[in-house]
Amino acid sequence: MAAYSRSQLLLLLLSSVCLCSFSSVFGLKAASGPAEPPNPPVLRAVDPPLKDAPAAAAAAAAAAGASQPRRATGWKLSEEEACREDLTRLCPKHTWTNNLAVLECLQDRREETEIAPDCNHLLWNYKLNLTTDPKFESVATEVCKSTITEIKECNEEERGRGYLVSCLVDHRGNISEYQCNQYITKMTSIVFSDYRLICGFMDKCKDDINNLHCGSINVGQKDVHSQGEVIACLEKALVREAEQKDQAHPIKEECQRAILRVAELSSDDFHLDRHLYFSCRDDRERFCQNTQAGEGKVYKCLFNHKFEEAMTEKCRDALTTRQKLISQDYRVSYSLAKACKVDLRKQRCSLDTNLPRAREARLSYLLLCLEAAVHRGRTVSGECQGEMLDYRRMLMEDFSLSPEIVLHCRTEIEAHCSGLHRKGRTLHCLMRIGRGDRSTTVDNVCQSALQTLIQSADPGADYRIDRALNEACESVIQTACKHIRNGDPMILSCLMEHLYTDKMVEDCEHRLLELQYFISRDWKLDPILYKKCQGDAARLCHTRGWNETSELMPPGAVFSCLYRHAYRTEEQGRRLSRDCKVEVQRILHQRALEVKLDPELQKRCMTDLGKWCSEKTDTGQELECLQDHLEDLVSACREVVGNLTELESEDIQIDALLIRACEPVTQAHCHDVADNQVDTGDLMECLVQNKHQKEMNDKCAVGVTHFQLIQMKDFRFSYKFKMACKEDVLRLCPNIKKKVDVVICLSTTVKNDTLQDAKEQRVSLKCRKQLRVEELEMSEDIRLEPELYDPCKSDISRLCPNVAFGNAQMIECLKEQKKQLSQRCHQRIFRLQEVEMSDPELDYQLMRVCKQMIKRFCTEADARNVLQCLKQNKNSELMDPKCKQMITKRQITQNTDYRLNPVLRKACRADIPKFCQPILNKASDDSELEGQVIACLKLKYADQRLSPDCEDQIRVILQESALDYRLDPQLQRHCTDEISRLCAEEAAAQEQTGQVEECLKVNLLKIKQEACKKEVLNMLKESKADIFVDPVLHTACALDLKHHCAAITPGRGRQMSCLMEALQDKRVRLQPECKKRLQDRIDMWSYAAKVAPAEGFSDLAVQVMTSPSKNYILLMIALSVCILFLVGLLCGRITKRVTRELKDR
């Protein structure tokens, strides 16, 4: 008996969700034969009231389901002839006694086309008879008595018209009474198997059904579509209307609401969506066999398997239509509406009066509102967040669920992204085009639709939402980011940090940059940044003025504002909080290499990128290209590139590629400054100073040099220089922007103050120190000195094409090829050498090659005397050969012109104009004198006419050039051919010890060129003045000098005279080698006297004083003078007597 009562109650539960009397509308007309059930009998008025709900349900069911009055209590569907064959074929025998079971079997097991038309019509009339019987309202009144009282709207409904049950269906989510809830819920399978049985649906959608040819509404006429297909047809039409601009037959608004209401009412049980149920019946068994129906669980399961290969296309289409309806009204998703109901009310997501009510139901609006609440730290239930995650993933997987994308991006999809529908590939294709590649463009409306979709899905909060990204980056995440919890927002940050490393794969890189392009345009899409910086943004960037969902906020504007404040000093004020600054720097480091990830930069520089950088497509090349063409950019682009470069100078870690390339040298030499939380330009300065280290690879060197070159364009790009000298620049060098010009201006000021012995330097001490650093850095690469580089470009390509610029190698090459340089380049090189000789620290090659020797020999020497110190220690046994070679090069350079030898210039400042003025008169300011002045001073040294200080310096030069012929420019200039012919072996010796000079002296008679012979004779003449000038003779006579001439002061030929006297003194025995060398020298001097007679009295006097027969010559000269004197006296007296005699006459 209990079983019978339950079955009868269950039959009642199949009654209509929204009971309306359609009999008057349809004009129900009985079919002939047993296929047409007659009208149900009406219960007598005297019948007693039903005692309980089950009994009432049983009575009503019996009345409504009876085909004739005489068998009202026992009528069975299984007994009707029209359905007997279908029943036997489709339904198990144990269901035949239960009308409910028969009804469920026949309408669920197969589509209606598989059932005989007469049976189909019988079933429909049977259900309609059930739903139009007013006694069902009485049953609802009994079953849901307390619920009706609680729900005010339902309690006020007019009785007897079927509206009560309709109201209960609308509020079924608020029904807590078990029996009432079961009654309302279970009845729905009848209604949703036929749209005509839903209250008001036919009235609201009659015209739209006819206009769209979705089926017939006349009873007895064969439907074009099966009954579940009618609603499906309307649903598809509603979706198409949202996706297309022009509609021939737009659906009326009241019908649209009715369609969405039907979808909402069928959201908890997929059986109620008849079209989807029939389309996905097999797929449900395949994918969701163990999923219990109810609460939308089967829907969600099918959604999750939508893109499986085994999913049928028919089911996939039906699921897509359902998802599109959800995107138009979130309430179509039972689980989402239920999970987020309280949160929507709490977060006031339905109270924005600025937005139309229709939009508040949009899934995107719900997601944006609740995501904003989560980002601001407000509480949103875990269940709601879980549902949001599912639907955010759904939006990212299938672009077609966003009608704006379908509507506004149709052209782009057809042109570039066809055939990529599944797993978010179409969306990423659009995102790739939206990034603004120059080969393809995206319409602004499509771009806006993409941005809105990304904002709604918010993949920045959980990378798993983006299925395409998740699949592409899975291997990278497992290796590089395995320490981060799955789903954490920091996963995206980790991927960005490994963007250009070996761990990154190409597909992941593309998907990541496509997503980051859109995230970079809305700072709220980075949840960590938003959380840490929302207070700073409101305080500094006035974000309170922008609505959270407003589309008027300029792309990237907030982040641009934040990073401008991130690098402010305390003096500048209005700084970011520490946590926010860390996040801003993190993002800036990750995005800086990609121009497209900086919306402001991309917008302002789009024209310049196309004009100057169309070929620069590799990572980081676009920004480098813009920096290289800074002067050529339009003002707006130049400003933003300049600002970014200025930030980069303060925090070089913004250039992630450079930091990675320079990691070896950083770890070896700069780890102290690299570990500092605040960079302030120290790391770049350290890298520049260590460019010559073995750890420095090509990539790092190129990156560092590029940054140095960029710094030359504006002194602001060198952070330390800017901070140290900003006030000095404004005061002393206003209106000068280029760093090289600023350095020259300040250096000139410092130089003038020093020369004039100013009481107070106009350039501050901290600026002078940093100025020194800048000057040293500029000396490393000729490109860092435009005034030198520009005139020498053609010479570089002609003379030094394969020489590297770094480590001053190009400058050194030009110095070595000096004689072949063009005039302008030669002049610049001469000026450079003049500066370097006066300040050897600026001689990069010398300081680099001799770094260790300077530490060994010259630690206490003044910086400007380093070269002098090295020269003094050049012949030390501890001297490094490479350094010694470099010192020799600099000595050769110095001896070409006295102006390149500051010590000589100072010591001989009076002697040079006194003795060598004719040479100076012919000289130009920018070219060498080829050693003419020094040669002039050498001759005066031999004549012993120089001042003591000048004499000392010339003696040093003579001693050095006597050991190495290359240090005598005049000798090398005039005797190159003779040396090659007569002294090739000596010249080829690695160590020069005066052998070439000795060879020329010995072969004096064989020298054919008069100019060379004259130079050799000058050497002989100079050697008479000082034995130290003749290294071979000095070496041979070293012991004799010690024994016989120890008391003789060196210089002015005194020691040489001592040896000559010793040679003539038979009591003195000289060393054989010394004696032989002395005799050779006497012979040479004799020959020199013959071939090179004295050119003046001074030369004659020198020859006499240096002659071995000096005493004899002097005696004879004295006798001659005496004789002349006596003759003069005698002649004078005779002349005087004659004069008197004449007068006396």
Side-chain angles (χ1 to χ4, degrees):
M1 191 69 178
Y4 176 78
S5 297
R6 283 195 300 271
S7 66
Q8 292 300 316
L9 175 61
L10 196 55
L11 178 61
L12 270 181
L13 296 182
L14 281 169
S15 299
S16 173
V17 167
C18 199
L19 300 178
C20 288
S21 178
F22 284 114
S23 56
S24 61
V25 178
F26 284 113
L28 279 176
K29 184 177 177 182
S32 60
E36 180 184 333
N39 291 330
V42 179
L43 294 177
R44 291 170 299 172
V46 295
D47 288 346
L50 299 174
K51 298 295 182 183
D52 53 20
S67 58
Q68 294 179 12
R70 60 184 174 81
R71 41 182 204 176
T73 58
W75 181 82
K76 298 286 188 295
L77 278 172
S78 58
E79 296 175 356
E80 296 296 332
E81 188 66 29
C83 292
R84 187 170 299 163
E85 182 182 350
D86 294 310
L87 187 69
T88 305
R89 179 167 51 89
L90 300 174
C91 301
K93 195 169 185 179
H94 67 271
T95 62
W96 294 1
T97 58
N98 189 324
N99 287 345
L100 167 65
V102 170
L103 185 63
E104 281 187 326
C105 171
L106 291 177
Q107 73 178 18
D108 287 356
R109 284 295 299 271
R110 294 288 184 272
E111 295 189 42
E112 291 171 307
T113 54
E114 298 179 9
I115 302 174
D118 289 344
C119 181
N120 177 35
H121 201 64
L122 171 67
L123 293 176
W124 185 83
N125 277 310
Y126 172 63
K127 290 188 292 182
L128 186 61
N129 285 338
L130 287 175
T131 58
T132 55
D133 196 309
K135 295 300 184 291
F136 277 93
E137 189 172 286
S138 301
V139 175
T141 304
E142 288 297 323
V143 176
C144 301
K145 184 182 298 182
S146 60
T147 300
I148 294 171
T149 305
E150 293 172 1
I151 302 174
K152 182 179 179 182
E153 293 87 343
C154 299
N155 198 27
E156 293 175 353
E157 286 288 355
E158 182 181 353
R159 301 295 192 269
R161 301 186 61 185
Y163 293 153
L164 175 61
V165 177
S166 174
C167 178
L168 290 173
V169 170
D170 282 344
H171 293 84
R172 65 178 177 170
N174 299 325
I175 297 176
S176 56
E177 189 177 354
Y178 177 74
Q179 283 188 328
C180 180
N181 188 56
Q182 290 293 308
Y183 172 73
I184 295 297
T185 301
K186 294 297 183 181
M187 286 163 55
T188 54
S189 60
I190 295 176
V191 174
F192 284 96
S193 64
D194 195 323
Y195 76 97
R196 290 167 294 188
L197 303 182
I198 301 173
C199 175
F201 189 84
M202 188 279 305
D203 292 332
K204 295 173 183 176
C205 293
K206 175 181 178 181
D207 295 336
D208 296 294
I209 293 172
N210 284 327
N211 290 335
L212 296 168
H213 303 286
C214 287
S216 171
I217 57 171
N218 296 321
V219 177
Q221 182 178 349
K222 175 64 179 172
D223 292 344
V224 176
H225 300 282
S226 61
Q227 292 161 354
E229 295 291 332
V230 176
I231 291 181
C233 174
L234 289 171
E235 289 175 343
K236 290 179 179 178
L238 179 62
V239 169
R240 281 198 308 274
E241 186 172 316
E243 295 175 350
Q244 297 178 4
K245 292 181 180 179
D246 301 322
Q247 284 290 322
H249 302 289
I251 301 176
K252 292 184 296 186
E253 186 175 348
E254 60 177 357
C255 182
Q256 290 185 23
R257 287 196 294 267
I259 294 169
L260 290 172
R261 182 61 179 160
V262 168
E264 178 187 347
L265 294 174
S266 62
S267 62
D268 62 339
D269 190 346
F270 96 112
H271 290 88
L272 306 182
D273 187 333
R274 305 305 295 169
H275 170 68
L276 188 144
Y277 170 75
F278 285 118
S279 300
C280 297
R281 194 165 38 185
D282 295 336
D283 298 281
R284 189 267 171 93
E285 294 299 320
R286 186 181 300 115
F287 297 112
C288 309
Q289 185 176 6
N290 299 323
T291 302
Q292 186 176 359
E295 298 184 351
K297 294 178 181 178
V298 176
Y299 285 128
K300 289 188 69 174
C301 175
L302 291 171
F303 288 160
N304 291 335
H305 292 86
K306 176 179 170 182
F307 290 112
E308 297 286 346
E309 293 294 333
M311 175 71 72
T312 61
E313 284 298 327
K314 190 174 183 180
C315 179
R316 186 178 290 120
D317 290 342
L319 290 172
T320 300
T321 300
R322 184 85 190 176
Q323 288 176 319
K324 290 179 179 179
L325 293 175
I326 293 174
S327 71
Q328 293 195 35
D329 190 340
Y330 73 91
R331 290 168 297 197
V332 175
S333 170
Y334 177 86
S335 57
L336 180 63
K338 179 182 178 182
C340 296
K341 183 177 182 180
V342 175
D343 295 291
L344 287 169
R345 191 184 311 116
K346 187 192 301 182
Q347 306 302 336
R348 304 171 67 84
C349 291
S350 302
L351 301 178
D352 193 338
T353 56
N354 296 324
L355 298 173
R357 292 291 301 172
R359 182 174 175 179
E360 294 173 10
R362 296 291 295 272
L363 177 62
S364 59
Y365 178 78
L366 173 142
L367 293 175
L368 285 172
C369 181
L370 292 179
E371 285 162 8
V374 173
H375 291 331
R376 287 196 293 268
R378 298 177 185 172
T379 303
V380 175
S381 67
E383 185 181 3
C384 179
Q385 289 195 50
E387 289 295 326
M388 288 169 59
L389 183 68
D390 291 338
Y391 284 96
R392 284 155 57 194
R393 183 186 292 115
M394 180 185 80
L395 289 174
M396 288 294 293
E397 281 190 351
D398 192 346
F399 79 95
S400 66
L401 305 186
S402 303
E404 295 85 2
I405 299 289
V406 177
L407 175 62
H408 300 304
C409 300
R410 189 186 308 277
T411 304
E412 288 80 1
I413 293 171
E414 291 175 354
H416 305 287
C417 307
S418 59
L420 301 171
H421 185 71
R422 297 182 180 181
K423 300 182 181 179
R425 292 172 189 159
T426 303
L427 184 59
H428 266 278
C429 174
L430 289 172
M431 290 161 68
R432 174 177 55 81
I433 302 171
R435 286 182 65 205
D437 292 339
R438 287 180 286 274
S439 58
T440 54
T441 54
V442 139
D443 183 79
N444 289 335
V445 185
C446 176
Q447 185 89 354
S448 177
L450 285 169
Q451 188 68 42
T452 302
L453 174 59
I454 301 298
Q455 289 171 339
S456 303
D458 193 15
D462 190 337
Y463 74 96
R464 296 172 298 180
I465 291 170
D466 189 341
R467 184 170 180 178
L469 174 71
N470 190 13
E471 292 182 357
C473 297
E474 186 176 3
S475 62
V476 184
I477 294 170
Q478 293 299 323
T479 54
C481 310
K482 59 183 178 182
H483 60 286
I484 304 176
R485 178 178 57 84
N486 201 22
D488 193 292
M490 285 303 293
I491 290 283
L492 277 182
S493 179
C494 174
L495 290 174
M496 287 297 292
E497 288 172 3
H498 290 84
L499 189 57
Y500 303 112
T501 64
D502 295 336
K503 294 182 179 179
M504 180 57 65
V505 296
E506 184 178 4
D507 196 28
C508 177
E509 178 182 323
H510 293 326
R511 300 296 85 74
L512 182 62
L513 288 175
E514 288 157 8
L515 177 61
Q516 284 289 341
Y517 175 83
F518 289 91
I519 291 179
S520 67
R521 276 145 180 78
D522 186 350
W523 75 298
K524 299 189 297 295
L525 294 180
D526 190 312
I528 305 172
L529 174 70
Y530 186 76
K531 180 179 179 182
K532 298 289 180 65
C533 293
Q534 54 182 319
D536 296 270
R539 176 169 55 89
L540 300 173
C541 307
H542 312 292
T543 53
R544 287 198 181 95
W546 281 316
N547 187 285
E548 287 297 336
T549 57
S550 173
E551 297 176 357
L552 300 177
M553 186 183 295
V558 177
F559 184 71
S560 295
C561 169
L562 289 174
Y563 83 61
R564 281 195 295 271
H565 286 85
Y567 292 90
R568 290 196 170 189
T569 61
E570 292 183 5
E571 294 80 9
Q572 292 172 315
R574 295 174 67 81
R575 303 176 70 197
L576 298 183
S577 63
R578 184 179 179 278
D579 289 345
C580 180
K581 181 177 180 180
V582 169
E583 288 306 311
V584 170
Q585 288 179 327
R586 169 183 68 84
I587 294 174
L588 195 57
H589 293 171
Q590 293 171 357
R591 295 179 183 173
L593 290 176
E594 278 288 331
V595 169
K596 299 180 183 68
L597 297 186
D598 188 332
E600 185 181 16
L601 179 63
Q602 187 186 28
K603 179 181 178 181
R604 294 192 183 187
C605 298
M606 185 61 70
T607 303
D608 290 300
L609 282 169
K611 183 176 182 180
W612 304 107
C613 311
S614 57
E615 303 299 324
K616 306 292 185 179
T617 56
D618 290 345
T619 305
Q621 283 190 344
E622 286 181 319
L623 180 58
E624 287 185 1
C625 173
L626 290 174
Q627 291 173 331
D628 290 338
H629 291 87
L630 188 65
E631 298 89 346
D632 305 319
L633 305 179
V634 297
S635 58
C637 178
R638 183 166 60 247
E639 180 185 1
V640 69
V641 172
N643 291 337
L644 182 58
T645 308
E646 190 174 353
L647 293 182
E648 194 174 352
S649 71
E650 180 178 354
D651 184 4
I652 193 59
Q653 299 204 34
I654 290 175
D655 192 341
L657 285 181
L658 177 63
I659 293 300
R660 293 192 187 112
C662 296
E663 190 172 351
V665 72
T666 302
Q667 293 298 324
H669 304 282
C670 306
H671 57 89
D672 293 337
V673 293
D675 293 338
N676 294 339
Q677 290 186 350
V678 181
D679 185 357
T680 64
D682 292 325
L683 181 56
M684 176 53 72
E685 186 176 292
C686 178
L687 291 173
V688 170
Q689 292 170 355
N690 290 278
K691 281 177 72 173
H692 62 279
Q693 299 291 349
K694 61 181 180 180
E695 292 85 2
M696 177 66 69
N697 54 59
D698 291 340
K699 285 186 179 180
C700 180
V702 169
V704 172
T705 301
H706 173 266
F707 194 75
Q708 287 181 281
L709 294 172
I710 298 306
Q711 285 181 327
M712 304 313 296
K713 297 178 183 292
D714 194 323
F715 79 95
R716 296 179 301 123
F717 298 164
S718 178
Y719 179 75
K720 299 194 77 172
F721 182 60
K722 177 186 70 175
M723 299 307 294
C725 297
K726 190 173 184 179
E727 295 177 0
D728 300 273
V729 173
L730 294 175
R731 181 165 44 86
L732 301 170
C733 311
N735 304 322
I736 299 180
K737 202 170 184 182
K738 286 189 175 181
K739 181 181 173 183
V740 63
D741 296 332
V742 172
V743 170
I744 293 172
C745 171
L746 293 176
S747 298
T748 304
T749 305
V750 172
K751 179 181 177 182
N752 292 337
D753 288 348
T754 303
L755 293 175
Q756 296 170 10
D757 294 326
K759 293 182 179 179
E760 185 177 349
Q761 288 274 359
R762 286 176 289 173
V763 179
S764 64
L765 178 61
K766 64 178 182 179
C767 181
R768 293 202 302 273
K769 290 181 177 179
Q770 191 58 38
L771 185 63
R772 188 66 177 168
V773 174
E774 300 300 330
E775 289 175 335
L776 295 176
E777 290 182 2
M778 288 167 61
S779 67
E780 187 267 338
D781 193 322
I782 191 173
R783 293 171 296 180
L784 301 180
E785 299 188 57
E787 288 192 351
L788 175 62
Y789 179 56
D790 293 339
C792 293
K793 281 183 178 178
S794 59
D795 299 275
I796 289 171
S797 59
R798 179 169 54 91
L799 301 172
C800 309
N802 300 318
V803 179
F805 284 97
N807 284 342
Q809 294 178 73
M810 184 60 70
I811 295 176
E812 197 66 23
C813 175
L814 293 175
K815 289 176 181 177
E816 293 171 356
Q817 305 282 345
K818 189 163 53 175
K819 293 182 180 180
Q820 303 178 48
L821 298 178
S822 61
Q823 184 179 0
R824 287 185 63 215
C825 182
H826 189 280
Q827 291 172 352
R828 296 294 181 181
I829 290 293
F830 178 75
R831 290 180 185 177
L832 173 67
Q833 289 179 319
E834 192 173 357
V835 172
E836 289 179 346
M837 293 304 176
S838 62
D839 189 354
E841 269 195 320
L842 300 179
D843 189 341
Y844 188 88
Q845 276 280 12
L846 175 71
M847 301 304 290
R848 182 182 72 85
V849 174
C850 296
K851 184 176 181 180
Q852 297 303 321
M853 296 301 101
I854 293 172
K855 289 181 180 179
R856 175 174 293 172
F857 296 111
C858 308
T859 51
E860 298 180 0
D862 183 76
R864 295 183 179 272
N865 296 324
V866 168
L867 180 56
Q868 195 69 17
C869 170
L870 290 171
K871 284 158 61 175
Q872 292 170 0
N873 294 276
K874 172 184 172 182
N875 296 315
S876 170
E877 294 180 357
L878 299 176
M879 177 59 69
D880 176 63
K882 290 184 178 179
C883 179
K884 186 175 182 178
Q885 186 178 3
M886 181 58 65
I887 296 170
T888 301
K889 283 185 178 181
R890 296 301 176 258
Q891 287 180 296
I892 294 172
T893 300
Q894 282 190 325
N895 290 348
T896 59
D897 197 306
Y898 77 98
R899 291 170 294 184
L900 301 181
N901 191 333
V903 179
L904 174 67
R905 187 175 186 176
K906 182 179 180 182
C908 300
R909 60 181 177 272
D911 301 87
I912 293 172
K914 180 179 179 181
F915 300 113
C916 311
Q917 189 62 44
I919 300 173
L920 297 179
N921 293 338
K922 299 177 183 178
S924 64
D925 294 335
D926 300 320
S927 61
E928 294 92 338
L929 297 172
E930 298 294 342
Q932 296 179 60
V933 172
I934 295 178
C936 168
L937 292 173
K938 286 179 180 180
L939 292 175
K940 301 309 173 187
Y941 172 82
D943 295 343
Q944 302 177 2
R945 299 175 63 185
L946 299 178
S947 62
D949 290 342
C950 185
E951 187 176 280
D952 291 340
Q953 291 303 316
I954 292 297
R955 183 186 305 114
V956 172
I957 292 174
L958 286 169
Q959 291 171 0
E960 292 169 347
S961 59
L963 290 170
D964 192 338
Y965 75 97
R966 296 170 297 176
L967 301 184
D968 189 337
Q970 288 292 312
L971 178 67
Q972 191 173 18
R973 177 185 178 188
H974 297 300
C975 297
T976 302
D977 295 336
E978 300 292 351
I979 292 172
S980 300
R981 183 171 62 87
L982 301 172
C983 311
E985 186 177 344
E986 290 82 354
Q990 188 172 3
E991 189 75 17
Q992 291 295 322
T993 57
Q995 296 303 317
V996 173
E997 290 87 339
E998 187 66 19
C999 170
L1000 289 172
K1001 292 173 184 176
V1002 171
N1003 293 283
L1004 181 59
L1005 297 176
K1006 299 179 181 180
I1007 296 176
K1008 298 177 181 179
Q1009 296 181 8
E1010 290 299 323
C1012 179
K1013 184 180 290 186
K1014 184 178 179 181
E1015 289 301 322
V1016 175
L1017 291 173
N1018 286 338
M1019 276 199 305
L1020 290 170
K1021 182 179 178 181
E1022 292 158 6
S1023 65
K1024 291 172 90 174
D1026 199 327
I1027 194 171
F1028 288 99
V1029 177
D1030 193 335
V1032 175
L1033 180 61
H1034 182 264
T1035 303
C1037 299
L1039 287 176
D1040 296 297
L1041 283 173
K1042 188 175 181 181
H1043 291 156
H1044 307 296
C1045 306
I1048 305 300
T1049 306
R1052 295 187 178 269
R1054 287 186 286 266
Q1055 288 189 332
M1056 181 66 76
S1057 298
C1058 174
L1059 286 175
M1060 297 299 292
E1061 292 174 358
L1063 178 63
Q1064 293 177 358
D1065 191 345
K1066 295 181 179 180
R1067 294 172 298 176
V1068 178
R1069 296 187 63 182
L1070 298 177
Q1071 295 290 324
E1073 182 67 18
C1074 178
K1075 188 174 181 179
K1076 179 179 180 300
R1077 293 292 180 184
L1078 274 174
Q1079 193 60 53
D1080 291 342
R1081 294 298 182 267
I1082 292 172
D1083 296 339
M1084 290 178 187
W1085 292 331
S1086 300
Y1087 176 76
K1090 294 177 183 177
V1091 299
E1095 296 180 357
F1097 181 78
S1098 58
D1099 287 348
L1100 180 61
V1102 171
Q1103 286 186 8
V1104 170
M1105 295 304 294
T1106 56
S1107 172
S1109 305
K1110 178 180 68 174
N1111 294 335
Y1112 173 76
I1113 295 172
L1114 291 175
L1115 178 61
M1116 295 306 295
I1117 291 174
L1119 287 172
S1120 301
V1121 171
C1122 290
I1123 292 171
L1124 287 174
F1125 178 72
L1126 291 173
V1127 172
L1129 286 176
L1130 180 61
C1131 293
R1133 291 185 67 82
I1134 295 171
T1135 306
K1136 190 175 181 182
R1137 187 180 300 122
V1138 172
T1139 303
R1140 280 182 182 176
E1141 288 178 352
L1142 289 174
K1143 285 182 178 180
D1144 291 341
R1145 289 179 183 177

